[in-house]
Amino acid sequence: MRYHPPASAAPLLLTPVDNEAPARMQRLRSLGLGQRPEPALDAFADRLAEVTGAPYAMVNFIDEDRQFFAGLHVPGGGHAGIEGVHRALRAGTHGAGAHGVSRYMARDHGYCPHVVVRRKALVLEDVCDFPRFAGNPVVDEIGIRSYMGAPLIDRTGTALGTVCVVDTEPRRWGRAGLETIKSMAAELTEQLQAREDGGI
């Protein structure tokens, strides 16, 4: 069934306005985050995929124009760039031969920008159940059907980005999934703070 909004309805705002983006960019630069892949964040994404049972997991930092997957897990244990993930999802190859490709994604793709602006976890067991989210480009272009993400809010109160998992099939994440993604976000936030303090 296709959703048809009433003629008088305002168009759905698919990507939220992000007034905190300039401050976030400055904070990310001061932390040295969001510019390059990091093995420790790839390892964190691997563990996130393992504990949630999701095929794809990301540590995502967001600026004014784009998203950057500084930590990335794809099926088979690889860390392909997001373009490789797109190809793998379309071709069913699960990231084969996709290593070393860009990890960037446009800000209007996906659901992490909503998590960052809302500053709250978001669980979409089937994105097609929600008109606001079903029209996102990742649904038709990549085949994403379920999403779960939580914000990384640091000690300054800045939402730096997210930890998230996605699947090409609907998933019943449930309350356990929500608690897991929130707990993993809190854990990574603590690690980033320890790194800033020189502890790691």
Side-chain angles (χ1 to χ4, degrees):
M1 173 185 275
R2 186 174 293 275
Y3 173 75
H4 296 286
S8 61
L12 292 173
L13 183 61
L14 297 180
T15 304
V17 175
D18 184 2
N19 294 320
E20 194 179 44
R24 178 182 313 110
M25 289 177 61
Q26 184 175 6
R27 181 69 175 141
L28 287 170
R29 279 194 297 268
S30 74
L31 294 170
L33 294 171
Q35 299 298 315
R36 63 189 181 281
E38 299 193 23
L41 296 180
D42 280 339
F44 190 91
D46 290 342
R47 193 159 65 84
L48 180 59
E50 181 180 356
V51 300
T52 61
Y56 300 90
M58 297 90 167
V59 176
N60 185 10
F61 298 117
I62 303 173
D63 65 23
E64 291 176 295
D65 303 309
R66 64 188 184 183
Q67 305 174 65
F68 180 71
F69 301 109
L72 180 63
H73 172 89
V74 299
H79 302 111
I82 193 61
E83 296 300 331
V85 173
H86 291 189
R87 286 199 302 272
L89 291 170
R90 287 195 296 264
T93 59
H94 303 302
H99 300 279
V101 184
S102 171
R103 293 179 181 228
Y104 294 100
M105 189 162 75
R107 191 179 165 273
D108 65 349
H109 283 53
Y111 308 106
C112 289
H114 294 270
V115 172
V116 165
V117 170
R118 290 163 32 115
R119 303 170 66 84
K120 292 170 53 177
L122 176 64
V123 177
L124 302 172
E125 295 187 337
D126 186 341
V127 299
C128 294
D129 289 341
F130 302 90
R132 176 180 182 134
F133 300 119
N136 194 281
V138 297
V139 176
D140 291 332
E141 293 179 16
I142 307 175
I144 299 302
R145 285 294 301 276
S146 58
Y147 169 92
M148 182 168 61
L152 297 167
I153 301 176
D154 79 348
R155 70 182 78 194
T156 69
T158 304
L160 302 173
T162 69
V163 295
C164 71
V165 292
V166 298
D167 201 339
T168 56
E169 301 291 337
R171 290 284 299 266
R172 293 191 177 276
W173 303 111
R175 178 153 297 278
L178 173 63
E179 294 306 317
T180 296
I181 201 76
K182 289 166 63 175
S183 174
M184 294 292 283
E187 179 183 329
L188 183 56
T189 299
E190 289 180 7
Q191 291 180 19
L192 296 175
Q193 290 176 175
R195 183 166 84 170
E196 183 180 24
D197 293 338
I200 56 175

